[in-house]
Amino acid sequence: MSPPAIIAPSILSADFASLGAACSKTIDDGADWLHVDIMDGHFVPNMTFGPPVVSKIRTHVKRPGEQTGKGTFDCHMMILEPQKWVVPLQKAGCDLYTFHYEAAISSTASTDPVYTSAEKTSPQALTRFIHENGMLAGIAIKPDTPVDVLWPILANEHKEEVPDMVLIMTVHPGFGGQKFMPSQLPKVTSLRNVYPDLNIEVDGGLAEGTIDQAADAGANVIVAGSAVFGAMDPAAVIAKLREAVERRRGGGSADGDKDSGGGDNDGGGMDESFMDPGEKLPGMRIHEQGAGSGDAVGISVAD
């Protein structure tokens, strides 16, 4: 059986004039996590907020009693130097620190925002550092990044260097309101077929008209922004997103209902050029994530 549905509304679409109250209400409306988009204006051409804001909204939302539990702050770090901000975000109240693969392969190993370092980091080293600081680790990839880059990272024999969640972007990160990209869903299917217990998150353009496609592909962690915060009845939208994912759980299949979903997004067929999920790359092994490393797979879609 695949992991349970996790609904993580993106607070980027919330009312910033009353952000704490909006976050608290969204949890009361049935959300599991809050997706916190942090942008630095360098990795993506937009800026949002940082640790001070996270620490303030943390006082409005009770910390989860267990890993991946209700109230988890899923901080999506769209920043150029992700290792520098691990400790400040942990102190601010982050529970799940999701960095971008593209940033981790080109940034420094500095562990303090004030200082720099000649040493380079890596996805594995950054994941280990996040775990050492008491948080779960997520790894995200942009639409232009192939899923193949994740296989050696997920197959690592050192569990402390293995991410607890994978986020597949279904829009280009940086701005909300973009159109859902169904072309990214084969990445989700490939991951789900190889890692049935993984939290796979999708982020970008997710709403009632596109959730069926994401759920069919195998995503279980759903990020939605304006679809939730802009709804007349946010609780009803959250319930519908959850039901779409839960309806496809059980058999472990990512095929789902072929006639559902699509909305006005042409959904279309999936790109068959991706690696056959049943094949292993050289040196690849199936990695079973245990309870200690977070056994959910999440897909985040930036709204």
Side-chain angles (χ1 to χ4, degrees):
M1 179 178 288
S2 58
I6 295 174
I7 310 303
S10 170
I11 68 170
L12 196 59
S13 296
D15 181 359
F16 275 33
S18 54
L19 189 55
C23 291
S24 177
K25 181 182 182 300
T26 301
I27 293 295
D28 290 342
D29 283 339
D32 301 294
W33 298 357
L34 290 178
H35 187 77
V36 183
D37 287 310
I38 297 178
M39 310 178 194
D40 65 359
H42 297 286
F43 182 74
V44 293
N46 197 7
M47 296 177 67
T48 54
F49 43 76
V53 172
V54 175
S55 66
K56 290 298 183 182
I57 61 174
R58 182 79 272 179
T59 64
H60 292 262
V61 178
K62 185 179 179 180
R63 295 294 295 259
E66 58 184 3
Q67 287 188 341
T68 73
K70 192 175 184 69
T72 290
F73 276 16
D74 168 25
C75 293
H76 180 193
M77 307 302 294
M78 289 170 274
I79 63 176
L80 207 57
E81 294 284 347
Q83 189 151 317
K84 285 186 175 184
W85 293 96
V86 170
V87 173
L89 262 295
Q90 187 276 330
K91 291 179 178 178
C94 174
D95 304 294
L96 169 58
Y97 191 97
T98 301
F99 63 89
H100 267 267
Y101 166 85
E102 300 87 357
I105 60 172
S106 60
S107 58
T108 72
S110 175
T111 59
D112 189 302
V114 177
Y115 302 105
T116 187
S117 171
E119 183 183 352
K120 295 293 183 180
T121 190
S122 68
Q124 294 88 341
L126 180 50
T127 297
R128 183 175 64 249
F129 186 61
I130 294 167
H131 285 152
E132 288 172 351
N133 279 277
M135 295 182 289
L136 296 174
I139 186 168
I141 56 173
K142 294 180 177 181
D144 292 338
T145 301
V147 72
D148 294 13
V149 302
L150 298 176
W151 301 128
I153 296 170
L154 294 171
N156 193 334
E157 294 183 355
H158 302 287
K159 289 188 176 182
E160 68 275 12
E161 296 182 350
V162 177
D164 305 287
M165 184 184 81
V166 171
L167 165 57
I168 302 298
M169 294 299 300
T170 50
V171 297
H172 291 285
F175 291 92
Q178 298 180 62
K179 187 176 180 180
F180 177 70
M181 299 171 64
S183 61
Q184 300 306 302
L185 295 179
K187 299 177 183 179
V188 175
T189 302
S190 294
L191 288 164
R192 175 60 68 215
N193 286 340
V194 176
Y195 294 98
D197 298 324
L198 176 67
N199 271 331
I200 299 173
E201 183 176 45
V202 286
D203 181 9
L206 290 168
E208 292 179 65
T210 54
I211 182 59
D212 285 325
Q213 295 176 69
D216 284 343
N220 74 296
V221 182
I222 308 300
V223 177
S226 58
V228 172
F229 286 101
M232 292 294 293
D233 187 349
V237 173
I238 290 170
K240 288 178 181 178
L241 297 175
R242 185 185 310 283
E243 194 275 336
V245 175
E246 290 294 338
R247 195 166 65 239
R248 290 157 175 82
R249 293 184 65 211
S253 171
D255 293 336
D257 302 324
K258 297 301 181 183
D259 296 330
S260 58
D264 57 0
N265 289 289
D266 290 343
M270 294 183 178
D271 184 356
E272 299 296 336
S273 66
F274 280 82
M275 185 192 84
D276 182 349
E279 296 178 357
K280 289 185 181 181
L281 296 178
M284 178 180 170
R285 67 181 183 84
I286 303 300
H287 172 74
E288 296 290 342
Q289 285 191 309
S293 60
D295 36 23
V297 175
I299 300 175
S300 168
V301 177
D303 186 82

